[in-house]
Amino acid sequence: MTGKRIRTRGDEGELSRASIAANFGDLHAPLSEAQAVVEAARCLYCYDAPCVRACPTAIDIPTFIHQIRTGNVDGSARTILSANIMGGTCARVCPTEVLCEEACVVNHTEDAPVKIGLLQRHSVDSLLAKGGPHPFRRAPDSGFRLAVIGAGPAGLSFAHRASMLGHHVTVFERDEKPGGLNEYGLAAYKMVDDFAQAEISFLLGLGGIEIRAGKALGEGLELADLLRDYDAVFIGVGLARPAPLDIPGRALPGVRDALDFIRDIRCAPDKASVKVGRSVVVIGGGNTAIDAAVQAQCLGAEQVTLVYRRGRTEMSATGWEQELAASSGVAFRLWSAPVAFKGEGALAAAEFAATRLVEGTLTLCEQRAQIPCDMALIAIGQTLGETLAAASGLAVKGGRIAVDANYRTSLPGVYAGGDCIGSGEDLTVQAVEDGKRAAIGLDRELRARGKGGRR
């Protein structure tokens, strides 16, 4: 486990600004050129490599690693980016330990797999640092104009691939900055040095893509208008609304959605300015819960407790993320479900019921326990929200926008991808793949009907 060394209040009383800044330093030190070559030499360059099959974007991993070993780092980056245009972010935040690195055959011969994520970061970061012309070129102008709703990983991946195919793309984004969860929803120590925006600037260097901020579907932006003005629409809005937790005391000051807390940290030029409780409870078992808990520790909380309704093996957060939290000082309280927040005018404690499985069903027990806290962060998942689908007439399945195998929604000319469709794990890398594949599918449809053809 190579997690963070977090300075806590126990180290030095109240944390200094310098200590907080150090706590938010890069989670993983990047590889030097020499380290990258040595690590690349560990790869066996497997035929029909299982690491490629484990990657949602099907990056040709043996090829890009071989290119690093032979000194062709720019070529290595192009190999990565041709499959995953957001390979820099994915190298930082992908759960490689359960994807490509878990599948690495070196696991069977040595103690650790090839460090595929760090090698990917080395290549992509090297190319971005050089600047220069974009590594890909646009096809001749198709004459088609496409609209994208949401400038997160799915929307930006779609826009880049569609532009490469010769279409002009306008991306409408609710927030001031593009990036979606890459910009606002990931732990700051995973995305240091404003990397999300650097990657987007690189992506936009292809040309043919325009981003319009402050535009959200259902808030002055209507799907019917976009279908009138554009040849097709791609929806990549993610899951924008936190799942509700309707229990007594939810409105008490000190009770927050974890994503809002994470967003505050990401937006703060000075992390020390972000308020954190002395005793913090985080409710949830996913990577967002881990990000919130560890960052509360980074800000100097004296006690952080992550509470989950089942056991650690049932948590959606990977084992690596769980160990990161534990090694950072986060305590775990399992088989406990929140039933109330307590306090007079402000949060003073969170009350939980013990849980157990009864014939496969999670059941609340009579046993109750309270955890004193002055901040509670809720990270029990996100939902699509009823407004978007209802207002737009989109069919919904399982709480997500329904699409077919080609990412077409129930409305002609409207495609969707990313977390809002539930195509697999809710991961950045899956959203990128959705956007890419949707752009390729839509391109086939557009060219089949021809300019001026009917939807």
Side-chain angles (χ1 to χ4, degrees):
M1 176 71 203
T2 56
K4 296 184 68 59
R5 164 66 176 101
I6 292 180
R7 294 171 175 85
T8 66
R9 293 191 191 198
D11 295 333
E12 55 185 82
E14 291 292 327
L15 283 186
S16 66
R17 274 184 159 76
S19 291
I20 290 175
N23 283 345
F24 283 97
D26 208 336
L27 179 60
H28 298 292
L31 298 175
S32 67
E33 185 174 346
Q35 288 172 325
V37 171
V38 170
E39 188 62 27
R42 297 181 61 227
C43 179
L44 301 179
Y45 313 116
C46 307
Y47 175 75
D48 192 26
C51 58
V52 177
R53 296 197 301 272
C55 174
T57 56
I59 294 171
D60 188 345
I61 295 168
T63 293
F64 96 68
I65 292 179
H66 177 72
Q67 289 169 312
I68 293 173
R69 188 178 66 83
T70 57
N72 183 12
V73 179
D74 286 358
S76 175
R78 284 192 292 272
T79 297
I80 295 163
L81 296 168
S82 64
N84 180 346
I85 194 58
M86 308 192 86
T89 288
C90 290
R92 288 162 166 79
V93 306
C94 251
T96 54
E97 66 276 7
V98 296
L99 295 173
C100 54
E101 292 181 13
E102 183 177 64
C104 177
V105 298
V106 176
N107 281 308
H108 302 297
T109 59
E110 300 181 28
D111 291 336
V114 175
K115 297 175 182 174
I116 298 170
L118 284 173
L119 288 171
Q120 179 170 312
R121 174 175 172 175
H122 174 76
S123 292
V124 175
D125 285 9
S126 296
L127 183 69
L128 267 62
K130 282 185 177 180
H134 198 78
F136 306 112
R137 295 288 178 268
R138 300 186 69 213
D141 194 332
S142 68
F144 290 105
R145 299 171 66 247
L146 310 180
V148 174
I149 305 171
L156 291 172
S157 173
F158 175 93
H160 187 271
R161 185 58 58 136
S163 180
M164 280 182 63
L165 293 167
H167 311 306
H168 181 82
V169 185
T170 301
V171 183
F172 297 91
E173 167 56 34
R174 174 189 60 189
D175 290 315
E176 178 184 351
K177 292 182 179 181
L181 287 181
N182 288 3
E183 175 60 36
Y184 295 107
L186 298 172
Y189 51 73
K190 294 178 179 177
M191 299 289 286
V192 302
D193 300 326
D194 205 20
F195 182 78
Q197 294 307 307
E199 184 175 59
I200 292 168
S201 295
F202 162 77
L203 183 152
L204 295 177
L206 175 68
I209 304 170
E210 175 190 4
I211 296 181
R212 298 183 187 176
K215 302 287 185 180
L217 193 61
E219 301 174 18
L221 189 67
E222 302 300 332
L223 193 53
D225 295 337
L226 294 177
L227 287 170
R228 179 194 64 214
D229 297 337
Y230 294 86
D231 294 292
V233 177
F234 176 80
I235 299 174
V237 294
L239 297 175
R241 297 180 182 275
L245 180 61
D246 188 15
I247 60 175
R250 174 63 181 85
L252 280 170
V255 182
R256 303 190 61 188
D257 289 313
L259 277 176
D260 290 340
F261 176 68
I262 293 170
R263 183 187 182 99
D264 286 351
I265 296 171
R266 287 296 300 272
C267 292
D270 177 10
K271 307 302 182 199
S273 67
V274 180
K275 301 299 183 185
V276 68
R278 299 183 76 88
S279 180
V280 180
V281 167
V282 181
I283 300 169
N287 287 338
T288 297
I290 299 289
D291 282 359
V294 174
Q295 289 186 109
Q297 287 281 142
C298 289
L299 289 170
E302 292 179 354
Q303 177 66 44
V304 180
T305 305
L306 190 148
V307 186
Y308 182 55
R309 59 183 177 163
R310 296 177 183 266
R312 281 182 67 160
T313 57
E314 288 80 25
M315 292 175 67
S316 60
T318 66
W320 194 96
E321 291 280 350
Q322 293 179 43
E323 288 304 311
L324 172 65
S327 67
S328 301
V330 175
F332 285 74
R333 187 184 186 101
L334 305 173
W335 297 104
S336 300
V339 293
F341 297 110
K342 302 288 188 177
E344 295 294 333
L347 179 66
E351 183 174 340
F352 296 89
T355 61
R356 63 188 180 98
L357 291 175
V358 178
E359 296 181 352
T361 301
L362 191 71
T363 304
L364 298 186
C365 304
E366 292 184 5
Q367 180 184 352
R368 298 288 191 270
Q370 291 191 8
I371 300 177
C373 59
D374 54 356
M375 175 178 275
L377 302 172
I378 301 171
I380 58 173
Q382 292 82 49
T383 67
L384 181 65
E386 299 177 359
T387 305
L388 183 147
S392 305
L394 293 162
V396 174
K397 182 179 181 181
R400 315 273 183 124
I401 298 173
V403 297
D404 66 13
N406 294 308
Y407 296 89
R408 291 178 295 205
T409 71
S410 59
L411 298 180
V414 181
Y415 284 60
D419 292 356
C420 67
I421 69 166
S423 54
E425 295 290 333
D426 290 341
L427 299 172
T428 297
V429 66
Q430 183 62 56
V432 172
E433 179 68 2
D434 287 350
K436 178 182 74 177
R437 291 178 59 189
I440 293 169
L442 175 56
D443 176 72
R444 286 196 296 264
E445 180 180 314
L446 291 172
R447 294 186 188 279
R449 80 178 189 224
K451 186 64 179 170
R454 297 177 62 84
R455 284 193 186 99

